[in-house]
Amino acid sequence: KNPALVFADCDMDKAIEGTMRSVFANCGQVCLGTERVFVQRPIFDEFVKRLKSGVANLKLGRPEEADTTMGPL
């Protein structure tokens, strides 16, 4: 239920990693999960592109399977 703020001088790798974790940890079912991401304009396009790529690489599946990175919602 928290916003994420991503500034133009961020470490992009860490910003993507942190955003992925805060949005999708425990399938997004935690009270401190990020629901809104505010990104400064100069890095917006790159951030969205890289976040989309990270999300596309999530493997949905059964939690007991080793290659699953996101379980059921």
Side-chain angles (χ1 to χ4, degrees):
K1 314 328 169 204
N2 303 311
L5 304 174
V6 184
F7 295 101
D9 64 348
C10 72
D11 177 320
M12 185 66 72
D13 292 333
K14 288 182 181 178
I16 296 295
E17 177 186 343
T19 302
M20 291 283 297
R21 185 176 54 251
S22 69
V23 171
F24 297 107
N26 292 325
C27 299
Q29 302 298 308
V30 291
C31 62
L32 52 80
T34 298
E35 291 187 349
R36 298 171 310 278
V37 181
F38 299 100
V39 182
Q40 280 192 304
R41 289 190 192 279
I43 62 166
F44 180 81
D45 291 335
E46 179 185 0
F47 183 87
V48 170
K49 179 181 173 185
R50 290 180 61 180
L51 186 65
K52 180 182 176 186
S53 176
V55 170
N57 288 321
L58 289 174
K59 169 76 166 77
L60 304 178
R62 299 173 60 99
E64 61 270 9
E65 293 177 6
D67 62 342
T68 295
T69 55
M70 183 152 181
L73 298 176

